[in-house]
Amino acid sequence: MALTYAQAFRIAAPNLLETCYAERISLTPFFVLHTWFLSMIRDDFRGGKINLEKAYKLLEKLNVQCSYIHVKYIFKDNDRLRQGRITIEEFRSIYRIIAHREEILEIFNTYSENRKVLFERNLVDFLTQEQYMLNTNKNFAFEIIEKYEPIEEVKEARQMSLEGFIRYLCSSDCQLFDNDYEKVYQDMTHPLNDYFISSSHNTYLISDQLVGPSDIWGYVSALVKGCRCLEIDCWDGSQNEPVVYHGYTLTSKLLFKTVIQAIHKYAFIASDYPLVLSLENHCSPPQQEVMADNLQFILGDALLSDMLDDFSDQLPSPEALKFKILVRNKKIGTLVETRERRNSDKHGQVQEYEEYEEAEKEEEEDKMKESGALTFLKDYSEKETEPRNLVRLPLFRKKRVKVALALSDLVIYTKAEKFRSFYHSKLYQQFNETNSIGESEARKLSKLSANDFILHTRKFVTRIYPKATRADSSNFNPQEFWNVGCQMVALNFQTPGLPMDLQNGKFLDNGSSGYILKPQFLRDYETEFNPYEIPQTSNPVTLTIRLISGVQLPPSSHSSSNKADTLVIIEIFGVPYDQMKQQTRVIKRNAFSPRWNETFTFVIQVPELALIRFVVENQNFLTGNEFLGQYTLPVLCMSKGYRHVPLFSKFGQSLEPASLFTYIWYVR
């Protein structure tokens, strides 16, 4: 039987590995690398030349991440005879072009004593000085060698070749998002109102809100992404079966029970923490009873239908509510009265109460402007006799609401209560009552009474939803409402774009659990934080980013090859003082390996709320720049050192291996 090159090497020089390790000298790099490379590919060339498809598979066999479109054009450039088939030497050239990136070779040579291999001590120096792993030792360095070094002879000598260094630096261990935040690490025992909660709006829709289809996939997709608050728009259906759709439109309809079945199946796929079903309930009492029966029968023990604590006056924690599903709806009476009715027959029992309905529709407001009917109410604090500021509030009208007791009693900690004013909530709102506020009104309140808004969200779960005029399912920027502590900032998950990029980026944190503990200044009863003012006790971050290069970026859709005129925009989202944007120069006709080597510095006053977004574009003067990819994450979740920034498409799909290569450094 024929020997492999590695076996032949051992027979020819049986003691060389031990000598190299003992004397800290390197193996002959050309011989070892040549031996390893040939041993990996020689069988594929026994039949002679190989075509593009085989070359692509062979690169995958060598654990080189590559984009087919880039391999296609590099293959074409190296196919000297233009026959669609290449020799082993031509393949070696393709491999070097894709794998042996110049910027990584430069780093390797800086830390290699002989520009051939890294000894353990060299790798320790690199990890300590460049990757900020201050407690690194030789044992940890060898763990990295064992994990990433592909050449057995080099690995056994406890060394790392350029091949291993490339694989390490391009791995998930060197991505921008710090691995420590990929698990739940925050204290999950605070009350629910202390967390930002991933929330969706009109979750059943997968396109526009007028004629688009309703689909179970909308709920499944949101749950898989870690969403923890789903909206269910409920209406009376035929044959006493409630349906889910966008009322008074031509959107298709789903059976309520089918929606609940799908939710039950996928509720805790991405997160163990509580799921809230926010019912936009337009059903008659008889069909509300059907909804209650569906919820109890389908969800079973997962449905929270009683208090966890008899005497508590604060919401329970996500930890206490693990694997529980909560119903958010109108409610009759108190939690104590609900418990007293437990196990009683509630069939046919309906109660009615008055609530104030907000006349907030844009068109109604315009009519009121014309008639002069819009009123201004003065917002007084509890201790002041003079108005602190003048806040424009919507008109309210009384409305009688009928609620089936069977459904009402399934609402425990998430009772839906109409928001009237911060002052009214301070006097009368109960701890288990939540508010929904439209984006337009919430925006006015945040600008005119930001601190009052924060004090409100300090106590009460507050949900912000898109205005009714967003018929195309567009989204608002959620950052402005996170800045004032709003827990449930509900977005149309079906609509890609900047707002959903921010949503997805923010909730990468804390293990993508859908719950993120709010900063202390948004949880403090005595807080004086105002996002529109620079905090007196600010602990800013000075962030420096060296954008080195792009790696196999998506080519322009307007290009007939793998080219693009690439540029990168780096944006900071947070409090208004931190909003900023910087941009690289344009690298012409290069999407494969553009080199920028540009450095950017940002001073971020409130890093606890800040997100950073990297956007890659193709410059186009005629039609506007073309989006190629983006990545968004919290500023405080970034790793330092040499890091790859993965890129995602407009629709949130991974564009791997496309990435940006950066060097990150920051101080607080």
Side-chain angles (χ1 to χ4, degrees):
M1 183 173 67
L3 296 175
T4 67
Y5 280 93
Q7 290 169 331
F9 175 81
R10 288 180 176 280
I11 292 172
N15 299 317
L16 182 57
L17 294 176
E18 292 77 5
T19 302
C20 287
Y21 177 65
E23 299 184 13
R24 291 296 189 268
I25 61 175
S26 65
L27 302 165
T28 306
F30 176 79
F31 178 67
V32 174
L33 180 58
H34 184 75
T35 299
W36 168 78
F37 191 77
L38 288 179
S39 70
M40 294 293 290
I41 69 172
R42 62 175 183 160
D43 288 344
D44 294 88
F45 282 91
R46 287 197 171 172
K49 297 181 178 181
I50 63 173
N51 61 18
L52 171 61
E53 282 66 31
K54 285 189 176 179
Y56 182 74
K57 290 180 180 177
L58 190 50
L59 287 166
E60 290 185 327
K61 177 182 175 182
L62 290 163
N63 292 319
V64 175
Q65 292 186 323
C66 48
S67 161
Y68 183 83
I69 191 167
H70 285 301
V71 173
K72 174 183 174 182
Y73 285 98
I74 295 170
F75 181 97
K76 183 179 178 181
D77 290 342
N78 285 271
D79 178 11
R80 298 185 184 92
L81 298 179
R82 298 291 186 265
Q83 295 177 338
R85 298 171 68 80
I86 58 172
T87 66
I88 194 168
E89 284 305 315
E90 288 169 334
F91 177 79
R92 181 194 291 272
S93 177
I94 292 172
Y95 174 81
R96 286 173 174 165
I97 290 170
I98 295 175
H100 291 187
R101 288 164 35 207
E102 183 181 343
E103 61 270 36
I104 293 182
L105 180 60
E106 290 170 0
I107 301 167
F108 179 84
N109 287 340
T110 299
Y111 283 88
S112 171
E113 297 173 18
N114 53 17
R115 295 194 163 204
K116 297 170 184 177
V117 295
L118 293 174
F119 298 114
E120 283 177 320
R121 63 178 177 272
N122 305 143
L123 186 54
V124 169
D125 289 344
F126 169 76
L127 296 173
T128 303
Q129 296 174 28
E130 304 291 2
Q131 303 301 80
Y132 296 88
M133 299 179 181
L134 302 181
N135 296 321
T136 299
N137 54 34
K138 288 184 179 180
N139 289 333
F140 181 74
F142 184 60
E143 289 177 12
I144 292 176
I145 291 170
E146 282 197 306
K147 186 175 181 179
Y148 293 106
E149 177 55 55
I151 305 173
E152 285 299 322
E153 290 77 14
V154 178
K155 183 189 298 186
E156 290 181 23
R158 301 175 76 93
Q159 298 167 4
M160 178 174 267
S161 68
L162 175 62
E163 298 294 334
F165 190 69
I166 288 169
R167 283 156 178 75
Y168 168 62
L169 213 52
C170 296
S171 73
S172 59
D173 284 341
C174 290
Q175 285 199 350
L176 181 60
F177 187 78
D178 191 325
N179 293 336
D180 288 344
Y181 302 113
E182 290 184 345
K183 60 182 181 296
V184 175
Y185 68 93
Q186 294 178 340
D187 184 351
M188 303 301 285
T189 62
H190 289 256
L192 284 178
N193 48 289
D194 278 358
Y195 296 84
F196 293 120
I197 303 170
S198 178
S199 304
S200 66
H201 176 254
N202 286 350
T203 319
Y204 48 90
L205 295 177
I206 56 174
S207 63
D208 69 81
Q209 303 190 19
L210 296 180
V211 297
S214 303
D215 199 298
I216 292 296
W217 175 246
Y219 289 102
V220 174
S221 175
L223 289 169
V224 168
K225 292 176 182 176
C227 183
R228 297 289 83 193
C229 178
L230 304 173
E231 184 180 46
I232 308 179
D233 218 342
C234 311
W235 298 81
D236 281 354
S238 60
Q239 299 180 329
N240 205 35
E241 284 287 355
V243 293
V244 175
Y245 84 112
H246 202 208
Y248 308 116
T249 68
L250 298 178
T251 58
S252 58
K253 299 176 181 179
L254 303 169
L255 288 179
F256 178 79
K257 65 181 179 184
T258 304
V259 169
I260 300 304
Q261 287 168 346
I263 289 171
H264 183 235
K265 182 176 180 180
Y266 291 94
F268 302 106
I269 291 291
S271 173
D272 299 345
Y273 293 101
L275 174 65
V276 178
L277 306 184
S278 183
L279 304 183
E280 189 68 29
N281 186 4
H282 305 278
C283 290
S284 61
Q287 295 210 16
Q288 289 182 36
E289 287 193 355
V290 175
M291 290 167 59
D293 289 342
N294 290 159
L295 289 165
Q296 290 177 301
F297 178 75
I298 296 169
L299 301 181
D301 292 340
L303 179 66
L304 183 76
S305 56
D306 192 17
M307 295 180 288
L308 299 184
D309 190 326
D310 294 345
F311 306 107
S312 177
D313 61 352
Q314 70 174 19
L315 294 174
S317 68
E319 189 67 31
L321 291 169
K322 261 187 171 181
F323 300 108
K324 288 295 183 183
I325 298 176
L326 286 66
V327 175
R328 182 177 183 273
N329 189 63
K330 307 295 183 185
K331 181 176 180 62
I332 299 291
T334 66
L335 289 173
V336 173
E337 291 169 340
T338 297
R339 171 166 285 185
E340 290 172 352
R341 289 192 293 265
R342 198 175 182 195
N343 299 323
S344 64
D345 182 10
K346 300 163 193 170
H347 181 73
Q349 293 189 45
V350 179
Q351 291 196 19
E352 188 176 80
Y353 73 97
E354 283 187 347
E355 75 165 6
Y356 285 89
E357 182 182 56
E358 183 179 333
E360 193 228 4
K361 298 283 189 294
E362 303 285 332
E363 51 270 26
E364 290 181 17
E365 191 171 298
D366 289 340
K367 290 177 183 177
M368 288 189 286
K369 282 181 186 175
E370 294 173 3
S371 65
L374 194 63
T375 61
F376 287 80
L377 301 180
K378 294 178 180 179
D379 184 20
Y380 292 87
S381 71
E382 192 172 41
K383 297 179 181 179
E384 290 175 335
T385 57
E386 293 296 324
R388 184 158 22 138
N389 46 47
L390 205 57
V391 178
R392 176 182 173 181
L393 294 177
L395 288 174
F396 291 94
R397 57 170 176 251
K398 285 186 178 180
K399 177 184 176 183
R400 302 191 72 81
V401 179
K402 291 183 178 181
V403 180
L405 211 56
L407 182 60
S408 170
D409 281 0
L410 297 182
V411 178
I412 306 301
Y413 295 119
T414 46
K415 175 184 177 182
E417 186 67 24
K418 186 66 68 176
F419 174 78
R420 296 177 63 181
S421 72
F422 296 137
Y423 182 59
H424 182 274
S425 294
K426 186 176 182 179
L427 292 180
Y428 304 111
Q429 191 162 334
Q430 301 300 307
F431 77 96
N432 66 319
E433 295 177 344
T434 68
N435 303 129
S436 280
I437 308 176
E439 65 165 292
S440 299
E441 190 60 31
R443 189 171 292 114
K444 297 171 195 172
L445 292 168
S446 69
K447 290 179 178 178
L448 292 171
S449 296
N451 188 251
D452 287 335
F453 211 150
I454 291 168
L455 291 172
H456 177 81
T457 58
R458 169 63 189 87
K459 294 178 64 178
F460 307 114
V461 172
T462 303
R463 180 177 176 271
I464 309 299
Y465 60 90
K467 59 187 177 183
T469 54
R470 294 186 182 273
D472 58 351
S473 292
S474 60
N475 283 311
F476 52 80
N477 184 334
Q479 186 68 51
E480 59 185 318
F481 303 118
W482 290 327
N483 288 345
V484 290
C486 296
Q487 293 87 348
M488 297 178 172
V489 182
L491 297 183
N492 292 299
F493 272 44
Q494 72 273 25
T495 306
L498 170 63
M500 275 307 299
D501 292 344
L502 298 179
Q503 159 76 24
N504 293 335
K506 186 175 186 67
F507 285 98
L508 283 175
D509 197 1
N510 203 30
S512 298
S513 64
Y515 283 83
I516 298 173
L517 186 64
K518 294 196 289 185
Q520 178 61 39
F521 54 78
L522 293 179
R523 295 184 277 122
D524 185 358
Y525 280 108
E526 304 296 326
T527 186
E528 295 182 356
F529 175 75
N530 186 325
Y532 298 97
E533 300 172 358
I534 296 179
Q536 297 296 321
T537 57
S538 174
N539 189 10
V541 161
T542 300
L543 169 65
T544 300
I545 298 173
R546 181 156 66 95
L547 187 58
I548 301 169
S549 62
V551 182
Q552 300 188 54
L553 303 178
S556 169
S557 60
H558 307 298
S559 172
S560 59
S561 64
N562 64 332
K563 308 296 183 185
D565 295 340
T566 51
L567 63 97
V568 178
I569 299 168
I570 304 175
E571 302 173 275
I572 303 294
F573 294 86
V575 300
Y577 281 97
D578 288 338
Q579 303 275 8
M580 63 193 94
K581 178 191 298 188
Q582 298 190 53
Q583 171 180 323
T584 67
R585 69 186 188 280
V586 178
I587 305 296
K588 294 288 187 179
R589 297 183 56 76
N590 189 346
F592 174 65
S593 58
R595 291 284 297 272
W596 289 282
N597 277 322
E598 294 185 48
T599 300
F600 305 94
T601 299
F602 303 89
V603 178
I604 304 171
Q605 298 293 334
V606 187
E608 297 88 347
L609 290 172
L611 300 172
I612 185 167
R613 183 173 185 251
F614 297 82
V615 185
V616 182
E617 294 182 350
N618 169 54
Q619 187 183 59
N620 190 318
F621 290 113
L622 295 178
T623 60
N625 287 359
E626 176 188 4
F627 174 91
L628 297 180
Q630 71 83 35
Y631 186 63
T632 306
L633 76 164
V635 164
L636 295 182
C637 290
M638 290 194 297
S639 295
K640 296 180 182 179
Y642 287 103
R643 302 293 168 181
H644 276 88
V645 181
L647 294 176
F648 290 82
S649 73
K650 179 181 178 182
F651 299 97
Q653 299 159 329
S654 173
L655 296 173
E656 192 178 32
S659 64
L660 299 172
F661 188 46
T662 64
Y663 186 82
I664 306 294
W665 182 73
Y666 58 86
V667 291
R668 287 189 82 173

